[in-house]
Amino acid sequence: MHIVVCIKQVPDSAQIRVHPVTNTIMRQGVPTIINPYDLFALEEALRLKDKFGATVTVLTMGPPTAADSLRKTLTFGADRAVLLTDRYFAGSDTLATSYALSMALGKIAEEFGKPEIIFTGKQTIDGDTAQVGPGIAKRLGYNQLTYIARISEVDLDAATIRVERRAEGGVQDLVSSFPVLITMLEASNEMRRGTIENALGAARAEVVTWNAEAVGIEDLTKCGLRGSPTIVKKVFAPTARAEKAEIVEAEGGVDAKAAALVEAIFAKAPGIEGDLLELAGEHYV
Ligand SMILES: Cc1cc2nc3c(=O)[nH]c(=O)nc-3n(C[C@H](O)[C@H](O)[C@H](O)COP(=O)(O)OP(=O)(O)OC[C@H]3O[C@@H](n4cnc5c(N)ncnc54)[C@H](O)[C@@H]3O)c2cc1C
């Protein structure tokens, strides 16, 4: 079985700065980390490797420095690291990102065997659109299982996987056939520690590096800012609200406390009561 994990190298969230003109995140000289959601995806892949002897390839699209994050995944036990890097990819939105990654996944299938499973994190901590995973699945014609909390069963003979999906209102028990793309939720497992042996191997390992041409991209207008219909108009930190939260004290049980809270809200925003009356009509006693 061959599994690919897509990881993104992201700025360490405490250090994010936005370019005043292009509104893109300034990545130069900013400490970077592996997108935390992707570590849960990597751990799931490594558990399937332990159980079924799968081969795990890790793929990232990013600047040349993203090779550092790839090497880190090798210290955890990944078998192969692939860096897709080209200045034509700069400023990619999710459409352009999923396009470039799907082309790299096509080349990975040619070179190393078609992956039965592709893992991504649910989302990144910088763009956090959760769109790249489903975009890749659509482009490659893979089944997709998103917001997955647990892998309950893999049947290699039947080429199926059973998972638990965390959804509003509860947990869904889903089964899909291969090939499938899975987006993993945070806290779905605990990331293992890297081993000395793997760390030594990672230091020596070659990171496979491809550019747009190497993965067969001919139409460069599908890449980077040119291939991105999404314009990030403005990125700004929301202004902190000056208003302090008000503590409403009330004697008695939950009902009394709830009633006191409603009264306090009505006192602060009298208009709300009228709106609710209108909405609730005959239900409001
Ligand atoms: C503040 C901000 C807002 C943005 N808003 C938008 C927007 O509204 N629409 C839009 O199209 N773009 C937006 N972008 C650009 C977007 O961040 C990039 O396109 C990015 O490369 C992919 O989107 P994402 O970070 O949201 O990834 P997500 O879709 O959240 O990522 C999901 C998963 O896909 C995989 N993945 C994502 N990027 C890569 C990569 N480069 N290499 C390998 N695997 C990857 C990872 O496993 C990740 O966990 C925004 C960027 C910023 C910084």
Side-chain angles (χ1 to χ4, degrees), residues 1-5 44-46 48-49 54-58 115-119:
M1 180 160 65
H2 184 199
I3 301 174
V4 175
V5 182
E44 275 317 311
L46 294 172
L48 294 178
K49 171 182 175 175
T55 303
V56 176
T57 298
V58 181
E116 287 86 353
I117 305 177
I118 298 171
F119 279 107

Side-chain angles (χ1 to χ4, degrees), residues 5-10 16 18 23-25 27 35-38 41 59-62 84 89 91-98 101 119-134 136 182-184 228-232 234-236:
V5 182
C6 295
I7 67 155
K8 187 181 177 188
Q9 179 168 278
V10 294
I16 287 193
V18 177
N23 277 320
T24 51
I25 290 204
R27 297 178 191 274
N35 178 45
Y37 291 89
D38 304 342
L59 166 67
T60 195
M61 177 185 100
L84 178 65
F89 299 143
S92 296
D93 73 355
T94 56
L95 193 75
T97 301
S98 63
L101 287 172
F119 279 107
T120 75
K122 176 188 87 171
Q123 64 187 76
T124 65
I125 59 168
D126 59 352
D128 89 81
T129 62
Q131 290 170 6
V132 171
I136 293 171
I182 297 176
T183 80
M184 285 307 296
S228 300
T230 312
I231 309 296
V232 177
K234 191 168 176 227
V235 180
F236 57 93

